């Protein structure tokens, strides 16, 4: 059992804190957002993440508490997790001002040996800056080590990913700190890789960029498939059997989105540039992703002719299923483009409509997919929520003004859709 505090109670911080409490540790989650902390104290979770609420409720009180008082969080803690945001600047690089500010505040609260863990995704060399900042601002006798311990949590599966990691990466500058972190994660029985801090920082960026590359690769293949009369779903299946390739992250579609991939990719390209390397492979990954989103609008035009005055129904707004997150979601770009062409937009998402209402005005939000279908000239599937796979398609067809479906996630079988009387197009088939 260890005493831990987590600075930043966003997606990563809250999942990390709650799961570490579930493993038997005493955890204090800290955030400057008083309303958020107040709600968390009442057991109200600020975003949708499966299983998180149950874990928070189970551990609240004795093992898990919430505060806005950073000193109160840090002083009793042996391990301090830094989970504050590292948003993207206009130049693409990560904005690390929050990390620096937190390092200064940690320095002020230093009272005994602590392991300061960077969990947020940060550019290589950030650990070194954190160490210098704490040394500069803390008492002369400050005893601490900095560790890089990147998270690999998928939104929508974050609790599962925390509890069942493929690997734990610990970038440490001392054996003492590495051992403390190994003990902490020992209950998870996952492979542990101990490296220096720079290597751990790079593992995170290299992993996310590789996954984005897989998505863009299959999307590029999908474009060739469309021209060649091949089916990208089968191509992915055929490739996926090869253990060296693997089937995961080979689903062609409208492209990747979310808070991590676009931001981390931009940051990685920028870091490489600063280090004197032009990572043109990753620039191509980004370009392909942008064109996948644009392509949906071109295809809609191809199926409906003029979009002006047409009603287009959007199924799915979150950047992927099982989350209410719409940050960098392809839906936002696609809807704005369709609106610019003069289309009227109706939309439904099982979880993300609250967030969408703030970002996208002039959209008719509907209570269910059938209401979206009613009198629509086309339906566009942007997010592959399970419930769309079980729709009564005959009913959908009856409700639509024109039976046009543009399936941005290849959820349906093209032959079956034709049999049902739809004019149907997927991606790469
Ligand atoms: C990602 C990483 O997976 C996780 O390890 C991390 O550290 C945070 O970033 P997340 O952003 O939650 O997690 O989403 P993920 O499940 O990885 O999907 C990313 C995007 O790629 C989504 O928009 C998804 O729709 C898209 N995607 C994924 C595809 O288009 N095709 C695929 O085959 C897989």
């Amino acid at each position: 059992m260890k005493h831990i505090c987590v600075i930043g109670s966003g997606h990563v911080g809250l999942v990390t804190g709650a799961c570490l409490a579930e493993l038997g540790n005493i955890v204090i989650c800290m955030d400057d957002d008083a309303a958020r902390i107040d709600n968390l104290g009442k057991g109200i979770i600020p975003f949708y993440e499966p299983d998180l609420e149950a874990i928070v409720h189970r551990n609240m009180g004795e093992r898990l508490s919430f505060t806005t008082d950073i000193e109160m969080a840090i002083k009793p803690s042996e391990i301090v997790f830094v989970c504050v945001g590292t948003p993207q600047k206009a130049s693409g690089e990560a904005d690390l001002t929050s990390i620096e500010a937190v390092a200064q505040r940690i320095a002020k609260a230093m009272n005994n040996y602590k392991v300061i863990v960077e969990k947020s995704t940060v550019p290589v060399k950030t650990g070194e800056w954190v160490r210098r900042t704490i040394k500069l601002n803390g008492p002369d006798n400050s005893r601490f080590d900095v560790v890089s311990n990147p998270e690999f949590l998928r939104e929508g599966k974050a609790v599962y990913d925390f509890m069942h990691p493929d690997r734990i990466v610990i970038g440490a500058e001392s054996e003492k700190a590495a051992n403390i972190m190994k003990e902490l994660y020992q209950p998870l029985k996952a492979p542990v890789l101990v490296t220096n801090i720079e290597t751990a920082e790079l593992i995170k960026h290299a992993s996310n960029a590789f996954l984005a590359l897989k998505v863009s690769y299959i999307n590029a293949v999908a474009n060739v498939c469309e021209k060649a009369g091949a089916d990208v779903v089968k191509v992915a299946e055929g490739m996926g059997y090869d253990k060296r390739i693997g089937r995961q992250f080979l689903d062609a579609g409208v492209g990747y989105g979310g808070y991590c991939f676009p931001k981390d990719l931009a940051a990685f390209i920028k870091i490489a540039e600063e280090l004197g390397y032009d990572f043109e492979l990753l620039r191509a990954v980004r370009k392909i992703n942008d064109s996948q989103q644009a392509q949906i609008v071109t295809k809609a035009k191809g199926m409906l002719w003029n979009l002006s005055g047409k009603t287009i129904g959007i199924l799915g707004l979150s950047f992927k299923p099982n989350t209410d997150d719409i940050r960098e979601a392809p839906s936002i770009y696609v809807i704005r483009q369709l609106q610019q062409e003069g289309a009227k937009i109706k939309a439904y998402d099982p979880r993300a409509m609250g967030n969408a209402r703030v970002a996208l005005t002039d959209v008719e939000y509907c209570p269910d997919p059938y209401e979206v279908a009613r009198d629509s000239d086309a339906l566009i599937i942007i997010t592959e929520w399970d419930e769309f796979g079980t729709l009564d398609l005959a009913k959908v067809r009856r409700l639509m003004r024109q039976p046009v479906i543009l399936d941005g996630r290849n959820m349906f079988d093209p032959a079956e859709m034709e049999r049902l009387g739809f004019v149907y197009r997927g991606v790469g088939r």
Side-chain angles (χ1 to χ4, degrees):
M1 188 267 288
K2 296 199 179 291
H3 286 266
I4 297 165
C5 76
V6 178
I7 311 298
S9 300
H11 223 113
V12 171
L14 198 54
V15 170
T16 302
C19 290
L20 287 171
E22 177 83 355
L23 293 178
N25 301 287
I26 308 283
V27 182
I28 307 173
C29 287
M30 183 271 162
D31 202 289
D32 286 324
D33 182 339
R36 171 168 292 216
I37 290 299
D38 194 41
N39 278 331
L40 283 168
K42 295 177 194 145
I44 302 167
I45 313 293
F47 46 80
Y48 173 68
E49 182 62 51
D51 302 329
L52 182 59
E53 192 178 70
I55 293 198
V56 168
H57 287 183
R58 199 159 47 235
N59 289 283
M60 259 169 69
E62 253 172 56
R63 282 206 298 257
L64 181 62
S65 58
F66 303 97
T67 184
T68 52
D69 184 340
I70 195 164
E71 280 206 26
M72 199 277 252
I74 291 172
K75 286 217 148 73
S77 301
E78 181 187 16
I79 308 175
V80 179
F81 278 92
V82 179
C83 301
V84 294
T86 52
Q88 190 181 329
K89 291 201 229 174
S91 60
E93 70 187 305
D95 182 347
L96 300 174
T97 45
S98 298
I99 299 268
E100 183 178 16
V102 165
Q104 288 165 347
R105 291 164 81 189
I106 291 172
K108 300 259 176 323
M110 286 301 261
N111 53 344
N112 51 19
Y113 175 80
K114 294 184 194 303
V115 182
I116 315 298
V117 186
E118 49 173 42
K119 195 84 178 150
S120 312
T121 303
V122 290
V124 63
K125 298 281 180 210
T126 304
E128 177 55 25
W129 279 109
V130 168
R131 197 183 61 73
R132 279 196 223 171
T133 307
I134 298 177
K135 264 234 132 12
L136 188 71
N137 294 281
D140 289 343
N141 59 352
S142 297
R143 289 182 303 119
F144 67 94
D145 281 308
V146 173
V147 162
S148 164
N149 170 223
E151 51 84 16
F152 301 100
L153 310 175
R154 290 165 296 177
E155 282 183 31
K157 294 191 175 124
V159 170
Y160 178 88
D161 285 347
F162 189 96
M163 293 298 186
H164 306 89
D166 287 342
R167 79 301 209 180
I168 307 265
V169 175
I170 298 171
E173 55 191 347
S174 83
E175 214 178 309
K176 179 176 178 180
N179 286 337
I180 289 173
M181 295 303 290
K182 277 198 223 167
E183 275 169 34
L184 179 68
Y185 285 117
Q186 195 274 332
L188 296 179
K189 311 229 174 314
V192 174
L193 179 66
V194 178
T195 68
N196 65 18
I197 295 180
E198 288 77 11
T199 305
E201 289 170 334
L202 264 178
I203 287 172
K204 172 64 199 244
H205 268 126
S207 301
N208 267 6
F210 186 77
L211 291 170
L213 179 143
K214 267 188 110 173
V215 174
S216 279
Y217 182 78
I218 201 65
N219 281 333
V221 171
N223 290 324
V224 179
C225 285
E226 279 190 12
K227 294 185 196 303
D231 181 351
V232 75
V233 174
K234 294 281 176 215
V235 172
E237 190 183 342
M239 290 168 65
Y241 280 119
D242 187 327
K243 291 190 193 66
R244 294 168 303 173
I245 299 172
R247 174 63 185 80
Q248 291 189 56
F249 277 75
L250 288 182
D251 291 323
V254 292
Y256 61 77
Y259 187 58
C260 292
F261 278 14
K263 170 176 81 77
D264 291 355
L265 206 73
F268 199 25
I269 291 169
K270 195 74 192 167
I271 297 160
E273 186 189 306
E274 279 164 12
L275 294 170
Y277 180 70
D278 175 11
F279 217 143
E280 44 182 337
L281 180 64
L282 295 187
R283 285 195 285 114
V285 166
R286 191 164 58 182
K287 195 168 151 208
I288 292 167
N289 199 58
D290 291 344
S291 71
Q292 281 314 105
Q293 301 186 7
Q295 212 181 70
I296 287 287
V297 180
T298 311
K299 279 185 179 168
K301 282 192 208 166
M303 293 168 93
L304 293 177
W305 194 22
N306 295 306
L307 298 182
S308 181
K310 304 269 162 66
T311 300
I312 298 183
I314 302 290
L315 294 183
L317 297 162
S318 55
F319 81 95
K320 63 170 189 177
N322 298 318
T323 173
D324 60 2
D325 197 344
I326 57 156
R327 288 176 295 179
E328 301 289 324
S331 64
I332 297 180
Y333 172 85
V334 171
I335 289 175
R336 287 197 178 132
Q337 290 301 309
L338 294 171
Q339 285 175 329
Q340 257 181 24
E341 296 282 341
K344 177 177 174 294
I345 304 295
K346 296 172 87 178
Y348 168 77
D349 186 286
R351 292 273 173 190
M353 289 203 286
N355 287 334
R357 272 179 225 277
V358 181
L360 295 161
T361 47
D362 274 347
V363 170
E364 182 187 339
Y365 292 99
C366 299
D368 61 58
Y370 299 106
E371 278 311 309
V372 175
R374 189 183 301 279
D375 297 329
S376 280
D377 291 290
L379 282 182
I380 304 182
I381 300 168
I382 306 270
T383 318
E384 67 279 33
W385 285 94
D386 280 349
E387 70 171 81
F388 301 154
T390 55
L391 285 173
D392 176 348
L393 292 169
K395 182 174 169 186
V396 168
R397 189 182 173 290
R398 277 198 306 277
L399 287 166
M400 293 180 75
R401 188 181 298 148
Q402 299 188 57
V404 173
I405 293 198
L406 183 45
D407 182 354
R409 295 292 178 181
N410 288 338
M411 290 192 80
F412 296 106
D413 175 35
E416 176 65 8
M417 294 304 272
E418 240 166 72
R419 197 188 59 75
L420 286 165
F422 286 104
V423 178
Y424 173 89
R425 274 194 82 177
V427 177
R429 12 190 15 195

